[in-house]
Each structure stands twice: as C-alpha cells, then as structure tokens.
Amino acid sequence: MIIAIAALIAVGAIVFILTVRAKDLPQPEPVSPFQHLDERKAAIYENLRDLQFEYRVGKLSDHDYQQTKKDLQRELAGVMAEVDRIKLQLSPNGSAPKPPAPASAIDPLTCPHCGAKFPQSLKFCGECGKAMKVAQA
Ligand SMILES: [Zn+2]
C-alpha cells in the first residue's frame, strides 16, 4: 500500500513537472547571436579604458600604448565585422533586419506637412495648423 502511494506521488510529481514545464516554458529564452560578441566588445572597450588609464599614469611607454591600442582596435574591428556578418545572415534580403521607416511617416511628434517637432503628439500642428496624424500604411 505504501509502495502504491509512493509510486502515485512519484508519477504525480513527474506529471506535475512536465505540465509546469510545458506551460511555463513553451520556448526557451532565445539567446541573442550577438551576445557573446557584445561581451567581447565590452571586454575590449574595458581593456582600452584600462590601457588609457595606465598610459596616463605613466605605466606604459608611448610605443607600448600605441601598439596595444592598435591590437585592441583591430580586435574590435574583427568583432564588429562578425556582428555585421551575422546581421547579414539573419536578414532575408541582405539589408538590415529593421530598416528605419521614413521619419515623417511614423513620428507622431513631427508634423508631416511642415516638419515642425513637438514634445508630445498633437492632433493638429501648432505651426501650420494641419492635422498631425497621417494615414499609416
Ligand atoms: Zn505643421
């Protein structure tokens, strides 16, 4: 009897875990393909900062500073190129994933008629008096 209850509890626990998993974690958080590159970029920037600091306090010779800086900048350029390459791969037609739409078409703070900018969205332009809202495609 105890074994039967224990088995029932075990099965119940497994079913519970599976159910919770399926419900709460339908899809794992997608890891950005740029994340490791971002981390490398941040590390390089930090190295550059450290380098600049050490140079300023006189720990590094001019030559060492220039050499290390060049190396870091080359590494940074490599990371940037990698980011661009991945971006290109991710986008179907080779352009940026989200090309910015023309500002006049989407910006509710800019009058589409006269281009005046306002700190908040208005129904009518305070400059030319025309309707601010434009038909959005
Ligand atoms: Zn206007």
Side-chain angles (χ1 to χ4, degrees):
M1 189 58 191
I2 286 173
I3 290 173
I5 290 171
L8 208 69
I9 289 170
V11 169
I14 289 167
V15 168
F16 175 74
I17 289 166
L18 290 178
T19 311
V20 167
R21 271 225 183 124
K23 197 169 56 183
D24 290 352
L25 310 165
Q27 50 201 50
E29 191 75 15
V31 176
S32 162
F34 305 112
Q35 198 186 334
H36 71 287
L37 293 171
D38 279 347
E39 281 163 8
R40 262 180 70 188
K41 212 159 68 177
I44 294 170
Y45 277 129
E46 198 169 316
N47 284 342
L48 275 169
R49 267 200 304 275
D50 287 350
L51 185 73
Q52 242 157 18
F53 176 75
E54 285 185 9
Y55 176 61
R56 238 181 282 144
V57 298
K59 270 196 195 170
L60 286 171
S61 73
D62 209 42
H63 174 264
D64 281 351
Y65 171 67
Q66 296 298 342
Q67 189 60 46
T68 312
K69 195 169 100 172
K70 220 188 284 172
D71 287 347
L72 284 171
Q73 283 173 339
R74 200 183 308 136
E75 206 183 327
L76 189 63
V79 173
M80 299 297 213
E82 184 73 6
V83 168
D84 282 349
R85 199 177 60 77
I86 293 175
K87 271 187 191 160
L88 223 63
Q89 274 180 353
L90 288 179
S91 59
N93 52 11
S95 65
K98 280 182 195 166
S104 59
I106 52 151
D107 187 359
L109 307 181
T110 304
C111 174
H113 306 287
C114 71
K117 283 187 197 295
F118 302 97
Q120 62 189 58
S121 73
L122 301 166
K123 272 187 180 166
F124 299 97
C125 173
E127 289 292 325
C128 68
K130 288 178 183 167
M132 286 285 281
K133 289 258 166 76
V134 282
Q136 286 183 18

